[in-house]
Amino acid sequence: MLAIVKYNAGNIFSVQCALKRIGVEGVLTDDVEILSRADKVIFPGVGEASSAMNYLRNKGLDKVICNLTQPVLGICVGLQLMCKHSEEGNVDCLGIFDTDVSRFESINKDMKIPHMGWNTIHTEDTRIFTPQLNEAFVYYVHSYYAGICKDTIATTDYINPFSAALKKDNFYATQFHPEKSGEVGEIILKRFIEL
Amino acid sequence: MLAKRIIPCLDVKDGKTVKGVNFVNFKDAGDPVELGYRYSLEGADELVFLDITASYEGRKTFLDTVRRVAENISIPFTVGGGIGSVADVAKLLNAGADKVSINSSAIRNPQLIDQIASHFGNQVCIVAIDAKMLQNEWVCYLNGGRIATEKKLYQWAYEAQERGAGEILFTSMDHDGVKTGFACDALNYLHETLSIPIIASGGAGKKEHFVEVFEKGHADAALAASIFHFNEISIPELKDYLYSNNITTRKIYSKNI
């Protein structure tokens, strides 16, 4: 059973639809029991980091997520919340990945913020990526990014290189939206499901 | 490198696409979901669905269309038309839309931009502007270009950005339908003065116009309707052409392997 963490963040319907397209039914829940028992957990996210983090703390979901032992996939703000600290609302996050989240600082007129649209990933990872996905285009919408650290398994360069994907133990996360990244995103979701 | 985006736009009325669509061997040219899917397979980077229905019943049908699009298409899509409140936006996002586009309602009630941005984030809110050059000034229009307003393009676009718009979709009414190219000067001025992405609309007639709109107009994305619907330019052919002109566009994955 695949569980999707239910909290005050958007894009959950898109994630469910993407899973359905690859033949997986995702259960949306904030129930500790169900989350702990699930084979896989997806931690989605669209929204503001500090309000999302406060919501997780009030519900006790912060500890639940950190204690999960099955494969977990954070998406977008989900990835950011799994880092140590976010500049968005100046908030301490879950601290799973050894990096902080900062706001993009534009250096010229061609570098618009938010970073919106299709950009390429550079990766040698073969757990949720494949060799063919190196240099593939994925869909991004974000104004904050996680810096590169030892947990980084894919990078994208926009204004500066940042973590396109992170992995530590059973925790995986992508800054881009696999659920909106066409065929490439479907491959990544399938690889995660098959972990 | 961040790719320039190609965005087909579909007008939807009572759950069907209008403006005629001229695909060969196409089962149901009227079905926006099937058409959107077809474009996504061809390499469209995003889709825009505009609801041009006026009736209440028609609006409910549109919500159903949005849901079906979300279920079937794995690229981002924007919906617009008839959005007047945060509650309208919530309904569309819950049905699976990624972004909404507001036009007349933003001119009538600019605070709607602030409200959408604070509820759902800037990235959700596209402010669409229809403008026409009158006595050396770009004047913004309401109601699909029927009513002129006091607002001027550059000032209004800047205000929309400051209020929290995530993107500006600028349609030049002078260029729309004429097929002689986009309004590159105005687009470039918007690029110089704004810090958010700009989607160019109105004027696409041939592949060269897309090179111009990205090189001279510095647009982040280009939107077109009839040239795609009537198969005058196919998306793969357009992307190949842009690639040969050193403009980065997203390659379709299955073509690479």
Side-chain angles (χ1 to χ4, degrees), chain A residues 8-120:
Chain A
N8 64 335
N11 93 323
I12 285 159
F13 188 69
S14 310
V15 172
Q16 280 179 312
C17 287
L19 290 171
K20 217 178 264 177
R21 282 193 295 271
I22 59 169
V24 178
E25 202 68 46
V27 180
L28 182 62
T29 183
D30 57 4
D31 185 294
V32 180
E33 274 298 298
I34 301 175
L35 285 172
S36 311
R37 271 203 334 264
D39 304 317
K40 303 272 160 38
V41 173
I42 291 187
F43 181 39
V46 166
E48 199 269 336
S50 66
S51 64
M53 206 49 228
N54 287 335
Y55 185 93
L56 292 175
R57 286 212 177 94
N58 289 338
K59 292 263 176 181
L61 285 168
D62 54 336
K63 292 196 180 63
V64 176
I65 293 168
C66 289
N67 290 331
L68 293 172
T69 52
Q70 66 275 58
V72 176
L73 177 66
I75 298 174
C76 195
V77 174
L79 171 145
Q80 298 179 2
L81 295 174
M82 290 158 85
C83 296
K84 286 193 297 191
H85 179 271
S86 175
E87 216 174 276
E88 188 177 26
N90 187 26
V91 67
D92 283 331
C93 300
L94 299 173
I96 294 166
F97 302 125
D98 189 23
T99 186
D100 291 333
V101 174
S102 319
R103 192 179 159 83
F104 280 123
E105 297 289 344
S106 184
I107 44 167
N108 68 46
K109 278 280 155 208
D110 289 322
M111 297 290 171
K112 306 283 176 65
I113 298 167
H115 173 219
M116 184 183 289
W118 298 82
N119 210 332
T120 45

